[in-house]
Amino acid sequence: MSAKRILIVDDDADIREATQLCLEITGQWEVLMAENGIEGLAIAQFEKPSAILLDMMLPGMDGMTVLKKLRENSETEKIPIVILTAKAQTNEKKVFDQLRVAAVITKPYDPMTISDQIASALSTSDLV
Amino acid sequence: MRILLVEDDESVAKILHKVLTDEHYTVDVAHSGHIGWQLVSASDYNLIILDVLLPELDGIEFCRQLRAEKYTMPVLFVTALDASSKKIAGFNAGADDYITKPFELEELLARVRALLRRVNTSVVLAFEWENLRLEVNSRELTYRGQQLLLTPKEHAMVELFLRNPGQVFSRQAIIDNLWSYSDAPGEETVTSHIKGLRRKLKNAGAPADCIETVYGVGYRLKPLKAESLPAESPRSEDSKAIELQGADSNVVEARYRQTKAALATLWKSVKCQQNARLAILQQAREQIQTGSLAKELRKSAYRSSHSLAGVLGIFGFTEGSECAKQIQLLLEGEVPISPGDRLRLVESIEALEKILDEAIAQQENTDAKTTTAPLLVLIDPQLEITSLLVTTLWSKGVTVKVFHQVEDLSKMLSFESANTSADLEKTAISAQSERILPDVVLLESSFSSNFDEPDFNKPNFNELESASKITPQSTLDNTSDSTSKVQPLSALDALLHRVPSLMLLICSADGSLSNRVKATQLGDYLFFCSPDVARVVKTIELLRSHPPSLSHKILAVDDDPQILQALQTRLAQRNYQVVTLDEPLNFWETLQAENPDLLLLDISMPQFTGIELCQTVRQAPDWRHLPIVFFTANTDKHLHQAAFRAGANNLIEKSLPDAQLLAHLSRQMKRSHIQQAIAAVDCSLSSSLS
């Protein structure tokens, strides 16, 4: 299962690092990281990870724009995406559904279960 | 079901292995008690079949040790010894059953089945999932009553899933459960078996997704809907408790422990950034109190509170996270903040300040109590213990990383660029490298062939202690790798020096004098000749529970206060705690009160000379092992020799540059700390063996 790769897009270096640890150790994922949306889009296109963990509050290009661009691109449209957000607004939830988001995880997340949450979301995602 | 067969007679072992594997058991065979013990340490067995007469470690002693180590799996003795006294000894040692050679194979299998049944609290005749059914005694597997024709491995795989409902098995866990060590395949073999199994189950009418892929984790039987579960079933669909049962649970638990430990380590390096974020909030608070919060600072404070809410929550400081969220909410947007909200903001920032201070203080307190030193284990590949060692340590929640070249390890620690003495000084005391090290680093490299021969013309650390060879140049040669091509042994030496608390355990296949001499080039570390996995694991556990002290307290005695003042300034910059004494008359009281890690003595002093003080310390049992370094401007060789006769560990010149002085002191203290740790481990090992 070590071939499974996940891309974390989060501007906070501490959160990126903590998430990386949890996913690598608990979930045995290979982790790719991007600190902004543009970097995230580029890595997603060229590395084609098995899943993307996307923070909504990003500097510059925000998470929602990144999500839409990922879905518009034929090379990334089928990658399962898990959203990280402090609080999902009602209008955002509708967009998440339309854009076939695999799961929405509220920040701050529980580091001991995030790997299970992602695994569970991806096992039921129609994009897998 | 995994069985360990410990039998020294190869022909008997061969027959029993065949009979048991024909019954779909996974069987590991050990031909001696020692090998059996290594296997027990590395894997979970459901049953052990044990011969009584074994070379090295006999069956009864083996069994006794098993029970002493709290292993509870059933043990079946198989032996030609029919004497009642032997049977009684076997049962007293903790055996569950006894069968005497010659015996009927059917009787042996019946006893094995009976013992395995006892592992379960209730007698189970069949395992079921939906319409899939496995009869325990006949081992018949059916779907809707129709027999399934599977290969033995496919059959064993279904049995594994049926016996552990809901549990997710990684491919490696499936290999560990279904293949013996001698014929373990690659993970792709599991994938291929799973595909074949899914196809056959689907052909028999089972749902296509009955064996579910849990993304990034492994495989399991798809959990049944709650209503279709038998009423008496104790399990729920996604019960974490169920997932943690069985052979895979140790790995899952170990991963949770490792994640927790890794997060705690990470917190140490990120906590300072949180203070920087707090500082922005404090600035904002000051402006709020004066009535005007600048737009840019408000944005910046908003982002800081957002980051703090996320980071503190992840690292377990829930109250701080909630407080930061509250601040974020109050700072959101651009509309002017109402007087009431301004007050709430000030209060919340003050509260967060307090929480963060407490969180950091509490963490530091915990760190001081629980810090363990990273451990480097050098293993000769000829020993063939690395794989077992990794598995065993992993199962005990110890983080492990394996390297085959010391250069790769150095690269990981970014040491390859530290070639100048100035660089060396920067890295000598820094704990940065320790943060990214796992608990144990295994360096699998042949000590006899890959490491360079000791260069007896080059002064090493031990030789530096000879008074006649103490020169600034010799010190520089020893402590800095300024050569462009780093030789393996010197690279390892440099690595050990640069990570102050790194402990080394050398496991050599060859205990020759040549190898032992090479090992001494690296300083005072543990050297084992042909150790087994159990011994290495035990030692690692002991070393981890007796880490070398990280304290760096020096008592410097010199009658010249100016020299002491200069020394204190030089050493304090490198985080040494220096206690100075310019009055030798008060030496003994100061020594007792300060309990230093190293004593730095001037030689020529009024009232008492440094040599007299050194002799006095060496005579006191409590202080016999305290490292003593003379610090002198005197170049009289006779005086130097007298200092070493009095018991000095080293003698260094006062004119030595800072980097070299620090390198000397650091090495001396590390050596002393390691010797104390080794002494504690030796003591524990001796008592556990006696």
Side-chain angles (χ1 to χ4, degrees):
Chain A
M1 299 290 156
S2 57
K4 298 297 173 195
R5 295 191 301 166
I6 190 165
L7 168 65
I8 302 171
V9 189
D10 198 312
D11 64 311
D12 191 305
D14 299 342
I15 292 180
R16 272 201 314 275
E17 210 174 336
T19 313
Q20 180 192 13
L21 276 180
C22 299
L23 295 178
E24 281 182 351
I25 301 174
T26 319
Q28 303 286 289
W29 286 90
E30 186 185 325
V31 176
L32 304 166
M33 294 201 282
E35 61 178 77
N36 57 53
I38 292 171
E39 206 177 287
L41 286 172
I43 294 174
Q45 178 161 351
F46 291 107
E47 298 289 342
K48 298 197 177 48
S50 319
I52 298 172
L53 188 59
L54 177 63
D55 184 30
M56 277 290 101
M57 191 169 156
L58 291 171
M61 186 189 289
D62 65 23
M64 187 59 86
T65 311
V66 176
L67 173 62
K68 287 175 182 166
K69 284 187 179 291
L70 284 168
R71 286 291 175 254
E72 283 162 12
N73 184 336
S74 60
E75 294 193 64
T76 56
E77 65 179 345
K78 290 189 174 168
I79 300 175
I81 296 169
V82 174
I83 297 293
L84 271 181
T85 180
K87 192 181 171 190
Q89 308 293 333
T90 314
N91 57 339
E92 281 184 334
K93 283 179 186 165
K94 280 183 190 166
V95 180
F96 292 157
D97 285 343
Q98 284 164 7
L99 295 176
R100 291 161 295 136
V101 160
V104 178
I105 295 176
T106 310
K107 281 171 94 174
Y109 63 82
D110 176 357
M112 304 312 290
T113 61
I114 186 162
S115 181
D116 291 342
Q117 287 183 61
I118 292 172
S120 163
L122 298 186
S123 69
T124 54
S125 167
D126 57 356
L127 293 175
V128 181
Chain B
M1 302 298 264
R2 198 178 185 97
I3 296 175
L4 173 63
L5 171 64
V6 192
E7 169 64 77
D8 65 324
D9 185 323
E10 289 195 19
S11 54
V12 173
K14 217 169 175 178
I15 293 167
L16 292 182
H17 182 265
K18 175 150 191 348
V19 169
L20 291 165
T21 47
D22 283 350
E23 289 294 305
H24 305 292
Y25 295 114
T26 303
V27 183
D28 286 320
V29 180
H31 294 299
S32 74
H34 280 311
I35 293 172
W37 190 253
Q38 288 186 19
L39 290 169
V40 166
S41 308
S43 194
D44 291 322
Y45 290 99
N46 304 95
L47 173 75
I48 297 180
I49 301 176
L50 198 55
D51 189 14
V52 172
L53 290 178
L54 290 169
E56 299 161 4
L57 177 66
D58 73 38
I60 290 175
E61 186 51 36
F62 186 105
C63 189
R64 194 171 288 127
Q65 283 188 24
L66 267 182
R67 300 310 183 214
E69 294 284 330
K70 312 287 181 211
Y71 286 101
T72 56
M73 74 283 274
V75 173
L76 170 63
F77 272 121
V78 179
T79 179
L81 297 172
D82 195 19
S84 291
S85 60
K86 280 290 170 193
K87 285 183 183 173
I88 292 166
F91 284 119
N92 284 343
D96 296 85
D97 202 357
Y98 206 102
I99 186 165
T100 313
K101 295 176 195 170
F103 51 80
E104 291 292 326
L105 291 173
E106 276 307 316
E107 184 188 348
L108 174 83
L109 290 174
R111 285 179 188 272
V112 166
R113 280 195 295 271
L115 285 172
L116 289 173
R117 269 203 305 271
R118 281 190 217 164
V119 177
N120 299 316
T121 49
S122 59
V123 176
V124 178
L125 297 176
F127 291 99
E128 287 182 326
W129 175 90
E130 209 213 28
N131 293 312
L132 187 66
R133 183 179 169 91
L134 173 71
E135 301 292 336
V136 170
N137 286 332
S138 68
R139 311 189 66 77
E140 189 183 51
L141 188 65
T142 55
Y143 189 80
R144 288 195 182 130
Q146 191 184 341
Q147 191 173 358
L148 288 171
L149 295 175
L150 303 179
T151 65
K153 277 291 177 251
E154 288 168 351
H155 192 287
M157 218 172 262
V158 174
E159 181 174 354
L160 180 70
F161 290 136
L162 281 170
R163 283 180 182 272
N164 301 279
Q167 186 175 326
V168 184
F169 288 92
S170 67
R171 285 189 282 196
Q172 189 55 50
I174 292 173
I175 291 170
D176 291 345
N177 275 280
L178 303 186
W179 274 267
S180 60
Y181 283 112
S182 55
D183 64 350
E187 291 191 356
E188 63 285 353
T189 305
V190 176
T191 314
S192 146
H193 280 296
I194 291 278
K195 276 185 189 165
L197 190 52
R198 279 176 173 156
R199 196 178 56 248
K200 288 178 186 176
L201 286 168
K202 194 180 168 191
N203 290 344
D209 61 348
C210 63
I211 296 177
E212 185 182 54
T213 303
V214 179
Y215 214 71
V217 183
Y219 305 102
R220 66 176 170 185
L221 273 180
K222 190 178 181 181
L224 296 169
K225 298 286 179 203
E227 59 269 26
S228 64
L229 286 173
E232 68 278 14
S233 171
R235 60 194 151 94
S236 61
E237 187 176 355
D238 289 317
S239 163
K240 195 171 173 183
I242 288 291
E243 288 193 11
L244 290 175
Q245 280 178 8
D248 222 22
S249 64
N250 285 342
V251 176
V252 175
E253 282 172 10
R255 285 180 187 160
Y256 278 116
R257 281 200 298 272
Q258 284 174 351
T259 307
K260 269 191 174 176
L263 282 170
T265 309
L266 181 61
W267 171 249
K268 286 182 214 166
S269 57
V270 304
K271 62 187 178 190
C272 293
Q273 279 106 282
Q274 313 323 313
N275 277 333
R277 285 166 175 161
L278 181 67
I280 293 171
L281 293 182
Q282 287 166 330
Q283 274 181 38
R285 181 189 62 196
E286 282 169 21
Q287 288 197 4
I288 291 166
Q289 283 171 324
T290 58
S292 63
L293 175 59
K295 197 176 167 185
E296 280 309 307
L297 183 57
R298 179 170 174 172
K299 273 189 185 170
S300 175
Y302 175 76
R303 289 204 66 84
S304 290
S305 57
H306 171 75
S307 297
L308 278 167
V311 173
L312 292 176
I314 290 169
F315 286 99
F317 303 106
T318 317
E319 199 186 348
S321 173
E322 288 300 322
C323 195
K325 263 197 230 171
Q326 176 71 18
I327 296 166
Q328 184 188 353
L329 205 64
L330 291 166
L331 288 169
E332 198 168 12
E334 292 184 355
V335 293
I337 303 167
S338 70
D341 282 351
R342 282 209 290 269
L343 189 64
R344 274 190 280 278
L345 262 172
V346 170
E347 284 172 357
S348 298
I349 293 170
E350 279 171 358
L352 183 61
E353 197 175 18
K354 202 175 161 198
I355 292 168
L356 202 54
D357 275 353
E358 282 172 6
I360 290 172
Q362 182 192 342
Q363 193 73 30
E364 280 170 355
N365 198 20
T366 313
D367 292 346
K369 286 176 190 164
T370 59
T371 296
T372 56
L375 180 63
L376 175 64
V377 184
L378 178 61
I379 299 176
D380 193 323
Q382 285 179 26
L383 287 171
E384 295 181 349
I385 58 171
T386 309
S387 172
L388 260 180
L389 194 55
V390 172
T391 314
T392 313
L393 291 172
W394 178 254
S395 71
K396 289 174 183 288
V398 177
T399 54
V400 189
K401 199 167 174 66
V402 182
F403 290 88
H404 298 282
Q405 298 286 335
V406 68
E407 288 84 353
D408 294 338
L409 177 56
S410 295
K411 274 179 196 158
M412 185 188 93
L413 296 167
S414 307
F415 280 167
E416 68 276 18
S417 59
N419 284 331
T420 65
S421 57
D423 287 337
L424 184 62
E425 186 189 344
K426 278 180 209 160
T427 54
I429 308 300
S430 165
Q432 183 64 38
S433 44
E434 290 164 36
R435 285 191 194 124
I436 55 174
L437 280 173
D439 297 330
V440 175
V441 173
L442 298 182
L443 179 60
E444 193 182 55
S445 184
S446 170
F447 207 68
S448 48
S449 60
N450 289 348
F451 283 87
D452 47 346
E453 289 297 326
D455 179 357
F456 293 107
N457 294 318
K458 178 182 168 186
N460 65 26
F461 178 60
N462 295 329
E463 287 167 341
L464 284 172
E465 291 173 5
S466 157
S468 60
K469 293 194 177 182
I470 297 298
T471 64
Q473 187 54 46
S474 67
T475 311
L476 186 63
D477 284 346
N478 183 58
T479 55
S480 67
D481 280 320
S482 54
T483 52
S484 57
K485 187 175 181 300
V486 179
Q487 291 300 310
L489 191 63
S490 47
L492 187 57
D493 182 47
L495 183 76
L496 290 162
H497 175 56
R498 288 170 193 177
V499 186
S501 62
L502 189 62
M503 293 281 291
L504 176 66
L505 171 61
I506 299 168
C507 302
S508 170
D510 172 8
S512 68
L513 180 61
S514 162
N515 276 352
R516 288 175 189 274
V517 169
K518 279 183 203 168
T520 63
Q521 300 278 300
L522 298 168
D524 292 87
Y525 297 104
L526 281 171
F527 183 94
F528 283 159
C529 176
S530 297
D532 59 20
V533 170
R535 185 170 172 80
V536 179
V537 170
K538 179 86 180 160
T539 307
I540 287 172
E541 285 179 327
L542 284 168
L543 281 172
R544 283 175 52 72
S545 60
H546 296 90
S549 164
L550 297 176
S551 164
H552 293 92
K553 191 177 193 181
I554 295 173
L555 172 59
V557 188
D558 196 309
D559 59 321
D560 185 340
Q562 283 185 330
I563 288 178
L564 288 175
Q565 174 73 45
L567 193 65
Q568 194 163 35
T569 309
R570 290 168 75 185
L571 296 179
Q573 286 169 354
R574 303 305 313 159
N575 297 326
Y576 284 101
Q577 188 189 349
V578 184
V579 178
T580 58
L581 178 68
D582 59 9
E583 181 54 74
L585 271 178
N586 299 332
F587 172 72
W588 199 251
E589 293 76 15
T590 312
L591 179 72
Q592 303 280 348
E594 296 295 341
N595 191 17
D597 299 290
L598 185 140
L599 189 55
L600 200 55
L601 291 175
D602 184 20
I603 292 186
S604 307
M605 290 185 288
Q607 297 146 344
F608 297 116
T609 67
I611 290 173
E612 286 168 329
L613 295 181
C614 179
Q615 284 169 329
T616 310
V617 172
R618 286 291 175 253
Q619 280 172 357
D622 289 348
W623 295 104
R624 191 166 287 163
H625 302 294
L626 179 67
I628 302 177
V629 175
F630 278 97
F631 190 55
T632 181
N634 197 320
T635 54
D636 181 350
K637 279 187 179 175
H638 296 293
L639 204 57
H640 289 188
Q641 285 165 2
F644 280 98
R645 278 200 302 275
N649 295 82
N650 208 345
L651 187 148
I652 50 183
E653 295 176 1
K654 284 183 176 172
S655 58
L656 217 54
D658 275 5
Q660 291 165 33
L661 168 68
L662 289 162
H664 267 288
L665 297 179
S666 164
R667 281 217 164 204
Q668 202 65 59
M669 264 187 281
K670 179 175 179 181
R671 187 178 186 195
S672 165
H673 289 150
I674 287 172
Q675 282 174 339
Q676 287 170 33
I678 288 174
V681 170
D682 278 346
C683 182
S684 301
L685 277 176
S686 318
S687 59
S688 68
L689 291 173
S690 62

